[in-house]
Amino acid sequence: EAIRQSLYSASVRLRENPSVFIIGVGGGNDVWAAKIAGARRVKGIELNEQILRIHREILPDWSGPLINDANIELVHGEGRSAIIRESESYDIVQMTGIDTWTGLASGAYVLAENYLYTIESLRTMYDRLNENGFLQVTRMAADMETLRMCANIDAMLTADNGGSMDHSVALMKTREPLMTIIVKKGDFTGSEVHQLEAFCKEGGIVPVYLPGRRTGTIVEEFILSSDKQDFIEQFPRNIRPTTDNIPYFFNFTRWDNLFESKKYIRDTS
């Protein structure tokens, strides 16, 4: 029940018997969420082969329902290259916390490239969705991270079809804090928004942005802004979209306004 009420289950509860592609198996929470929701097929990609060994050889009693399920395939590989090679499409593509908060808080990732959070990578994931499918990304709930991810999503959607993100994204967070961003390949229906509202109420999750609702958050302000480029330029941290040519998602320092940016250097919320 805890998994069913957690952010891992946000998207899978919007679809009946979905097919799910998971980037980053880790402890298996995303996989468990898909299984509990009755997913007809789950493919999980894990970069660290030892994690899969733990599931299969060290903790088979715990992970048995996952590794012995004919509908679940756990594969050793790198997430982006795996989804590029994938020939099938899915109802849900899901990626949860594939790096560590300890490393991020220490500044370890500031100058490290990350090719999973770029515009091009998000586009690849989005392209693997069936029509009306969902891309779900869960990360830390710091405003700077969430806004940069939203900037990437907006750039992706604008480049692809000139569309607006205000009807096709939903965001919610826990008090830990973790933030889940759901991008629909299409517009959210009124029924889906009601389902997300009920999901948040059930699990004690805080809505950050839901289409057609008002939350009064800075994320909502960005999504509804008519001039997102100006918002990005005026924000004190660097939240410009990241690309494969500039893949430094965790570099939030604005060198063009260093002293102002320094005020927020310890900001994690």
Side-chain angles (χ1 to χ4, degrees):
E1 190 64 22
I3 290 288
R4 189 174 179 276
Q5 294 181 358
S6 72
L7 289 175
Y8 299 106
S9 296
S11 292
V12 295
R13 289 182 56 175
L14 293 173
R15 282 288 173 271
E16 187 173 349
N17 307 123
S19 57
V20 185
F21 189 97
I22 294 168
I23 297 176
V25 172
N29 288 338
D30 296 274
V31 184
W32 277 111
K35 180 179 173 66
I36 292 167
R40 69 180 184 274
R41 186 186 178 211
V42 181
K43 186 170 186 178
I45 308 299
E46 174 54 48
L47 180 63
N48 187 344
E49 191 171 16
Q50 297 305 311
I51 294 295
L52 297 182
R53 181 172 174 266
I54 290 172
H55 286 296
R56 291 167 177 156
E57 301 176 22
I58 299 177
L59 295 174
D61 293 339
W62 175 263
S63 300
L66 302 183
I67 60 180
N68 296 322
D69 190 324
N71 296 322
I72 297 176
E73 179 185 8
L74 303 182
V75 179
H76 171 228
E78 191 278 321
R80 184 170 176 184
S81 60
I83 201 166
I84 287 173
R85 296 194 303 271
E86 188 66 28
S87 59
E88 296 187 34
S89 57
Y90 290 81
D91 298 316
I92 296 167
V93 174
Q94 188 157 319
M95 178 169 63
T96 302
I98 56 167
D99 37 63
T100 71
W101 180 241
T102 302
L104 176 58
S106 72
Y109 302 146
V110 169
L111 296 179
E113 298 98 337
N114 187 299
Y115 291 97
L116 279 172
Y117 296 142
T118 65
I119 296 170
E120 294 88 348
S121 178
L122 293 171
R123 181 179 294 118
T124 299
M125 298 177 200
Y126 186 84
D127 287 344
R128 288 295 176 274
L129 293 175
N130 293 321
E131 196 62 31
N132 294 314
F134 300 102
L135 167 60
Q136 175 173 317
V137 179
T138 299
R139 286 210 42 76
M140 306 307 169
D143 286 341
M144 57 192 184
E145 288 198 35
T146 304
L147 289 169
R148 171 161 270 173
M149 187 61 71
C150 286
N152 283 357
I153 291 167
D154 177 66
M156 174 195 72
L157 294 176
T158 301
D160 279 356
N161 54 29
S164 171
M165 68 187 299
D166 55 330
H167 295 296
S168 59
V169 298
L171 294 91
M172 58 209 76
K173 70 177 181 178
T174 64
R175 304 183 191 281
E176 279 76 10
L178 290 174
M179 180 81 71
T180 286
I181 304 174
I182 304 175
V183 187
K184 184 179 178 183
K185 197 169 189 179
D187 291 347
F188 277 95
T189 65
S191 174
E192 289 167 343
V193 174
H194 282 303
Q195 285 180 271
L196 289 175
E197 286 180 311
F199 172 75
C200 288
K201 185 175 181 180
E202 177 186 330
I205 294 166
V206 180
V208 175
Y209 178 81
L210 295 175
R213 305 296 188 266
R214 291 295 175 265
T215 58
T217 64
I218 193 169
V219 173
E220 178 185 76
E221 183 182 343
F222 174 79
I223 292 172
L224 298 180
S225 171
S226 60
D227 191 343
K228 293 182 174 59
Q229 186 58 42
D230 182 68
F231 185 104
I232 290 169
E233 294 304 322
Q234 296 301 320
F235 195 73
R237 308 303 305 276
N238 177 14
I239 58 169
R240 297 182 182 97
T242 52
T243 67
D244 283 351
N245 287 332
I246 309 174
Y248 304 103
F249 183 87
F250 299 105
N251 183 0
F252 298 105
T253 299
R254 288 192 54 163
W255 298 102
D256 61 335
N257 196 359
L258 186 58
F259 292 106
E260 182 67 18
S261 186
K262 184 181 178 182
K263 296 177 184 178
Y264 301 87
I265 200 165
R266 297 186 182 277
D267 182 24
T268 58
S269 61

